[in-house]
Amino acid sequence: MMKKNAKRICAAVLAASLAAVSFAGCGSSSSSSAAGSTASAAGSTAATGKGQVYYLNFKPEQADQFTAIAKAYTEKTGVQVKVQTAASGTYEQTLKSEMAKSDAPTIFICNGPVGYKTWGSYCSDLTSSDLAKHLTDKSLALKDGSKIVGLPLAVEGYGIIYNQAIMDKYFKLDGAKAKSVDEINNFTKLKAVVEDMTAKKSKLGIKGVFASTSLKSGEDWRWQTHLANVPITNELLDSNTDVNSDVKEIQFKYANEYKNIFDLYLNNSVTDKKMLGSKSVGDSTGEFALGQCAMMQNGNWVWSDIGKVDGNVVDKNDVKFMPIYTGHSGEETQGLCIGTENFACINSKASADDQKASLDFLKWLYTGDGMDYVTKSSTDGGLGFIAPYDTFKGKAPDDPLAQQVSEWQNKSGIKTVPWDFTCFPSQNFKNKFGADLLSYAQGQKTWDDVKSDVVKTWKTEAAASAQS
Amino acid sequence: MQKSLRKYWAVFTLPTLICFAIAFLIPFIMGFGLSFAKFTTVTDAKFVGFSNYIRAFSGDDTFLPALGRSFLFTIASVILINLFAFIFALLLTRKMRGTNVFRTIFFMPNLIGGIVLGYIWQLIFNGILARYGLTLTSDGKYGIFGLIILMCWQMTGYMMVIYIAGLQNVSPDLIEAAEIDGATPSQILFRIKIPMVMPSITICMFMTLTNSFKLFDQNLALTNGAPGNDSALVALDIFKTFYNRPGYEGVGQAKAVVFAVILAVIAMIQLRVTRSKEVES
């Protein structure tokens, strides 16, 4: 009898403990969020209704910096700032799941008019915010009609990055097509120089003039987005179309100019063009850093990567920018492509206190004590941003490419090319364009096919997202 | 113990049931509901009726081809994986030296995650194809063939273990009796061993079939669908629909529901067919 009872008790205890463990396990998500909300309630009463900030960070490479900034701000003001960073390439996914939570981000990043189509109902009106008044150029903001809905975090620039040391070596050779980089101010000249350099590549000690044209899936943004921006911007300029308006159709009028420069990249590259489907952006950064090539198309953000490559031989002072020349008439006055695709938006569905706290945080960062963090280079724990606000007059980050960007921006008689690729209808459009470019490089598609595909896909993708 | 089990069944089954509901049942039902809605985040959905389903099939030229590729891929990998696994199992149930070492080695690929495998094999394939001036992305076919090879490499060892267990359960008496009656080795294989391991075949077929049909990680890491969408299987296509086009979240969800239904139907049919072939010893 005793034995039976003991057995029974044993079973009951075991069962109960099992149940307790698994209930605890299952319930953890709800209980932790409950704990979170009580903590936040306590926090906000302690800070007398100050609200709190939840910043969903877009740039994984700056996760540490943003956490440090948040900590500094909390220490100074007592306002809670939570920073979460989405892993590389997963921002949309993370944002979608975070926004569905009761404790949603109060500041999030929108990537321009197309991102706004998805997130418009979450963006609050920032037209009358203090920070918007400090913008150096109102056209840099993300707009819905005349309403400002997103503030740029930084401007960035891209173009053809070249290695001054290798170029100088070339200019000294007999029969060089130019004597200095300043002479290269249109496509004809660029082509002559590049092709001559390819012919003399053994003398220059390089494997090719251009780094690999990375066409691996997911690594093709330099071509389907950045390079495509140049002809598309010219086309939009011709028809006087605003990027923030819905661009339903394009003609790809300057497709042949795109082909000009793309062919130049393909034919004078380190890598055979049939093999480009396996090359990544990282590969081409590596080639440039190791001095295997003289030029690559990329933006100022790549400087930190160049520095990180093992055995890097490029001197800081030799890394320079030149604009992307495509053979467009009047391109002698063309500058770098400078703009932004990361707009900070304030979640309109957050509480009024939280929205205000979020705006205050951004204001502190761009007009207050936080400004140091913005311009300091990443090695010093800063963001290394070129900030488009008038409070930053004369302050530029100290990395060489960022300085080049501000230099080009301020050159007299030079017109910078805006980042109009924010109006490209969808990621799907870009992916298809990239796939077409790969097929073209591999010789499976003619240029005419690529051109008609781009026109067609733009139209269907724009229509598809308008339908939704 | 029987008695206490009956008494305390709730304490034993409820935890699992609740976890199952939270991690599977509720999301599935929500997903079904969302397939009839337009939404950006799952909390702000608006009902739109069947339009997502219509757009999945008509407004989109990637879903049906991806589905077709998934079918072909599944047929090829189910046949190859089970064939190889069974042959290995037959070889490794003979009394040879070092069978345990071989069993372990064949099983090991299964322990590596799909994403890692995808990247490793990408390097291997690109390395080989580079000799012929090609890459994995030169043609969608290469990506699909690559995936078949990868899946065989990964799953064969796992299925082999199940077949070994099945083969070891075939009573030696039966085989001895057959040998005495003068049966040839191939007769023993087809008339005795295969019918006797039919339960293992049911399980292996089910696992290879469902795993191949819902393959995602390996596809994403190996080619990410390149060139274009030519090597994207259906799970990857759903993922891309969901995240790469604004306003297509509901369409992705509708595709996912269609996919789940197809998968369930195929798996049911397969289970019924192979089950009916199982024999009592």
Side-chain angles (χ1 to χ4, degrees), chain B residues 100-111:
Chain B
N100 276 333
V101 178
F102 280 112
R103 285 181 196 178
T104 316
I105 292 173
F106 286 135
F107 184 72
M108 271 202 304
N110 196 53
L111 303 175

Side-chain angles (χ1 to χ4, degrees), chain A residues 348-457:
Chain A
S348 58
K349 300 191 180 174
S351 74
D353 278 349
D354 287 356
Q355 289 190 38
K356 187 175 175 300
S358 304
L359 270 173
D360 287 346
F361 171 66
L362 288 179
K363 192 179 158 195
W364 171 82
L365 191 60
Y366 284 100
T367 64
D369 299 343
M371 285 166 61
D372 277 350
Y373 288 102
V374 178
T375 46
K376 255 196 298 189
S377 72
S378 54
T379 44
D380 296 334
L383 300 169
F385 280 171
I386 307 163
Y389 297 95
D390 56 16
T391 45
F392 285 86
K393 270 226 167 84
K395 280 190 206 168
D398 81 338
D399 82 67
L401 286 176
Q403 280 177 348
Q404 281 269 303
V405 170
S406 12
E407 206 175 291
W408 271 97
Q409 207 173 6
N410 298 323
K411 269 191 191 175
S412 62
I414 294 290
K415 272 205 290 227
T416 58
V417 180
W419 283 22
D420 285 350
F421 59 76
T422 49
C423 73
F424 287 13
S426 71
Q427 185 62 38
N428 221 15
F429 164 78
K430 297 186 206 172
N431 291 350
K432 281 195 177 165
F433 190 6
D436 275 354
L437 290 175
L438 174 62
S439 301
Y440 170 71
Q442 290 172 346
Q444 290 149 337
K445 268 195 176 152
T446 64
W447 186 253
D448 284 340
D449 291 340
V450 176
K451 184 180 168 182
S452 61
D453 267 9
V454 167
V455 174
K456 202 180 82 194
T457 324

Side-chain angles (χ1 to χ4, degrees), chain B residues 223-263:
Chain B
T223 59
N224 193 13
N229 269 327
D230 290 353
S231 67
L233 299 182
V234 71
L236 186 64
D237 180 59
I238 292 171
F239 177 81
K240 288 188 160 188
T241 313
F242 202 90
Y243 290 112
N244 288 350
R245 295 172 112 176
Y248 263 65
E249 291 85 355
V251 181
Q253 201 61 52
K255 285 182 179 182
V257 169
V258 173
F259 175 46
V261 170
I262 294 176
L263 187 56

Side-chain angles (χ1 to χ4, degrees), chain A residues 15 19 22-23 26 93 96 99-100 118-119 122 216-217 275 277-278 426-428 431 435 438 442 444 461 464 467-468, chain B residues 15 18-19 40-44 55 122 126 130 133-134 137-138 224 226 228 239 242-249:
Chain A
S22 45
F23 274 122
C26 289
Q93 284 97 309
K96 263 179 194 161
M99 275 301 195
T118 311
W119 294 106
Y122 287 83
K216 193 172 166 175
S217 157
M275 306 302 294
S278 63
S426 71
Q427 185 62 38
N428 221 15
N431 291 350
L438 174 62
Q442 290 172 346
Q444 290 149 337
E461 288 296 313
Q467 193 187 4
S468 57
Chain B
I18 290 169
C19 290
T40 306
T41 63
V42 292
T43 44
D44 70 345
R55 278 160 79 190
Q122 188 187 61
N126 274 332
L134 297 163
T137 53
S138 303
N224 193 13
F239 177 81
F242 202 90
Y243 290 112
N244 288 350
R245 295 172 112 176
Y248 263 65
E249 291 85 355

Side-chain angles (χ1 to χ4, degrees), chain A residues 300-321:
Chain A
N300 59 285
W301 54 84
V302 81
W303 169 245
S304 56
D305 292 332
I306 295 177
K308 267 187 245 159
V309 174
D310 263 349
N312 138 47
V313 294
V314 185
D315 189 75
K316 192 176 170 179
N317 299 318
D318 284 338
V319 186
K320 301 269 171 71
F321 262 128

